[in-house]
C-alpha cells in the first residue's frame, strides 16, 4: 500500500544552497523513476522484531503515539494565539502547584497498568514554554492535576495530565504528566548505504481512534514531487518505508522538508509495533 500527501508542514533542516543542479535540463522539468522495491528491507525489519526481547520490552512500556499536548476546545481565538502556541511562546502569570516527587499510573482499557514517575507542573510548563521572544504569547494563570486519554503503542490509555488555565479560554490546555518509557535496543540496525532510496521517517503525528490509519511525517527534498510511504503489515508489526517520488531537474536548494502522510491499514494497529524500515526502530512518538 502506498499513500502520498501534498501538504508541506515545514522545513525540518536547512542544509544551505548548492550551485550544482539536481540534473540537466529545464528547471521545471521532471523525471519519472520507478518506485523502489521496499519489500525486502521491510520484511527483514519485521522478521528481526518478531518474537524478539525488544518487542517484548516495547509492549510492556508506555510509548505514546499522539501529541502529549491537548488544546483547549475553542483553540485558537486568533492568529496571534496560534502563532504563540506554534512558536512555544508562553508567559506564566500565577502560581504552579508544588508537588512532591511521586509516581503516577497509566491504565489501559484492558485493565493493564504501569507506574511511572509523575512529571511536576513546573517541568510540564517548561515543555510548553521554550521561547523568550517578544512575539505573541499565551498566558498561563494556573494549573491543576487531572487526567486525559492518550493513544499509545498499546492502545488508548488513561494518563495523568496537568491542566493549564489559559487567559481568555474556558477549557484548559492539557499536558501529559509522564515521560515515555525508554525504548529498547533495536534487534536490527539502520540501512547501511545512505545513498539508498529509503529515507528516515519523522514522528508519529496521529493514530486514528479506530486504529485503521496512522499519520507520520515523511521526509523529502526540494527537487522532488514529495514523499510516499509503503506499508508492510504482519501479526506483530507494521513496517513503514518512506521514500521520495519523482525528481525535478535544474538548480534547487538543498533542504530536508517534511509532509504529513496518512497510511491506511488493513486492520487496526492494536499493539502491533509501528516500525521505520530505514532505521529498524519504532517510529518515534511525539513526546
Amino acid at each position: 500500500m502506498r499513500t502520498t500527501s501534498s501538504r508541506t508542514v515545514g522545513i525540518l533542516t536547512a542544509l544551505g544552497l548548492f550551485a550544482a543542479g539536481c540534473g540537466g535540463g529545464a528547471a521545471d522539468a521532471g523525471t519519472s523513476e520507478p518506485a523502489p522495491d521496499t519489500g525486502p528491507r521491510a520484511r527483514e525489519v519485521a522478521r528481526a522484531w518478531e518474537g524478539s526481547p525488544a518487542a517484548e520490552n516495547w509492549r510492556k512500556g508506555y510509548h505514546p503515539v499522539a501529541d502529549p499536548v491537548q488544546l483547549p476546545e475553542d483553540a485558537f481565538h486568533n492568529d496571534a494565539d496560534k502563532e504563540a502556541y506554534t512558536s512555544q511562546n508562553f508567559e506564566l502569570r500565577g502560581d504552579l502547584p508544588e508537588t512532591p516527587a511521586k509516581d503516577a499510573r497509566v491504565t489501559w482499557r484492558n485493565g493493564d497498568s504501569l507506574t511511572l514517575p509523575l512529571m511536576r507542573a513546573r517541568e510540564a510548563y517548561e515543555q510548553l514554554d521554550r521561547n523568550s521572544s517578544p512575539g505573541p504569547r499565551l498566558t498561563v494563570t494556573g494549573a491543576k492535576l487531572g487526567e486525559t486519554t492518550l493513544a499509545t503503542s498499546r492502545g488508548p490509555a488513561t494518563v495523568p495530565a496537568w491542566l493549564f488555565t489559559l487567559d481568555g479560554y474556558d477549557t484548559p490546555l492539557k499536558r501529559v504528566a509522564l515521560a515515555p518509557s525508554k525504548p529498547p535496543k533495536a534487534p536490527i540496525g539502520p540501512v547501511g548505504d545512505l545513498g539508498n532510496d529509503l529515507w528516515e521517517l519523522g514522528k508519529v503525528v496521529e493514530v486514528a481512534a479506530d486504529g485503521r490509519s496512522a499519520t507520520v511525517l515523511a521526509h523529502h527534498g526540494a527537487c522532488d514531487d514529495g514523499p510516499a510511504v509503503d506499508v508492510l503489515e504482519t501479526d506483530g508489526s507494521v513496517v513503514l518505508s518512506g521514500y521520495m517520488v519523482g525528481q525535478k531537474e535544474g538548480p534547487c536548494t538543498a533542504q530536508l522538508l517534511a509532509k504529513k502522510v496518512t497510511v491506511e491499514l488493513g486492520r487496526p494497529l492494536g499493539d502491533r509495533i509501528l516500525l521505520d524500515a530505514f532505521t529498524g526502530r519504532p517510529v518515534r512518538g511525539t513526546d
Side-chain angles (χ1 to χ4, degrees):
M1 180 184 302
R2 181 174 302 121
T3 307
T4 60
S5 171
S6 62
R7 186 165 73 88
T8 302
V9 298
I11 297 173
L12 298 185
T13 306
L15 302 178
L17 304 176
F18 61 94
C22 298
D28 58 353
T31 62
S32 177
E33 298 179 356
D37 181 6
T38 60
R41 171 63 182 180
R43 289 190 290 270
E44 182 184 20
V45 171
R47 286 194 298 266
W49 276 86
E50 189 67 34
S52 68
E56 182 180 357
N57 289 338
W58 178 266
R59 292 191 174 97
K60 291 180 179 179
Y62 161 66
H63 303 285
V65 291
D67 198 321
V69 179
Q70 297 174 351
L71 300 175
E73 295 174 2
D74 53 345
F76 289 102
H77 289 174
N78 50 56
D79 290 341
D81 284 359
K82 184 176 182 179
E83 179 184 344
Y85 175 74
T86 302
S87 63
Q88 298 182 300
N89 204 5
F90 286 73
E91 181 177 4
L92 179 61
R93 292 182 184 173
D95 297 325
L96 296 178
E98 293 291 342
T99 54
K102 63 178 183 179
D103 291 336
R105 188 175 296 274
V106 182
T107 305
W108 283 271
R109 289 181 177 175
N110 63 1
D112 289 346
S113 64
L114 183 65
T115 299
L116 295 168
L118 178 71
M119 181 183 296
R120 296 183 178 183
R122 172 63 64 174
E123 182 181 354
Y125 173 78
E126 290 173 351
Q127 294 289 327
L128 298 171
D129 182 23
R130 298 184 176 183
N131 194 343
S132 58
S133 72
R137 296 182 181 182
L138 284 168
T139 301
V140 172
T141 59
K144 65 178 181 180
L145 188 61
E147 62 182 25
T148 191
T149 300
L150 189 73
T152 77
S153 60
R154 296 163 63 177
T158 300
V159 297
W162 286 107
L163 313 183
F164 290 99
T165 304
L166 295 183
D167 186 28
Y169 288 82
D170 296 330
T171 57
L173 179 150
K174 301 178 182 179
R175 206 294 174 185
V176 173
L178 298 172
S181 300
K182 182 179 178 180
K185 179 178 174 60
I188 186 172
V191 291
D193 182 7
L194 294 180
N196 70 80
D197 293 320
L198 292 179
W199 280 71
E200 181 177 353
L201 295 171
K203 66 182 182 180
V204 180
V205 177
E206 182 183 21
V207 173
D210 62 3
R212 289 189 173 274
S213 67
T215 301
V216 298
L217 287 182
H219 294 151
H220 71 106
C223 303
D224 54 69
D225 295 326
V229 178
D230 285 351
V231 183
L232 174 70
E233 299 191 50
T234 72
D235 289 340
S237 64
V238 174
V239 185
L240 303 181
S241 302
Y243 59 93
M244 298 180 185
V245 177
Q247 182 178 351
K248 298 176 182 177
E249 298 182 342
C252 64
T253 58
Q255 297 170 325
L256 185 62
L257 308 175
K259 291 181 181 179
K260 288 182 181 180
V261 176
T262 298
V263 295
E264 304 294 332
L265 305 180
R267 60 186 176 89
L269 179 63
D271 67 350
R272 292 184 294 169
I273 307 171
L274 199 62
L275 297 169
D276 181 353
F278 182 92
T279 65
R281 301 191 300 266
V283 183
R284 67 184 180 90
T286 58
D287 203 347

